[in-house]
Amino acid sequence: AGLVQLITLCIAFGMSVSAGIFIPLLFIGACFGRALALLAGLDPRSYAIVGAAACLGGVVRVLISLTAVVTSTTSLSFFLTPVMVATLCAQTIGNWASGRPGIYD
């Protein structure tokens, strides 16, 4: 489901039509995080939250505000460090891969 959503999102974003990107990126990241956790035999809920934040952070490239939003939305303060590390890694990879700022910059 995440892969189909990712392809659809790339097509819609490339056509410059009015389509939201925030929620689909969270969905794609959650799907990939959950799939990774299921393959590794770990808790899929935790990895879905961290994956959603990392996917959004890799495209938007914000660190502190995204970490604050995810932590306050889930009301789970122990996700602060994993979300921040995953978002920082995604931001670094996004900067390295594209060489351009995030989509909102």
Side-chain angles (χ1 to χ4, degrees):
L3 186 61
V4 172
Q5 182 72 22
L6 178 64
I7 292 169
T8 306
L9 179 67
C10 289
I11 291 170
F13 191 68
M15 291 186 332
S16 298
V17 296
S18 178
I21 195 168
F22 190 82
I23 299 299
L25 283 173
L26 288 174
F27 177 73
I28 292 165
C31 285
F32 283 125
R34 185 175 189 277
L36 178 72
L38 290 175
L39 288 174
L42 301 169
D43 180 29
R45 294 173 292 189
S46 300
Y47 279 79
I49 293 170
V50 174
C55 184
L56 186 62
V59 174
V60 178
R61 302 210 185 98
V62 292
L63 178 64
I64 302 297
S65 59
L66 180 61
T67 302
V69 166
V70 170
T71 305
S72 66
T73 302
T74 60
S75 298
L76 303 171
S77 61
F78 57 87
F79 275 123
L80 183 69
T81 304
V83 167
M84 187 168 282
V85 169
T87 307
L88 181 63
C89 291
Q91 181 181 10
T92 304
I93 291 170
N95 287 336
W96 174 78
S98 71
R100 294 181 291 177
I103 60 170
Y104 295 128
D105 290 338

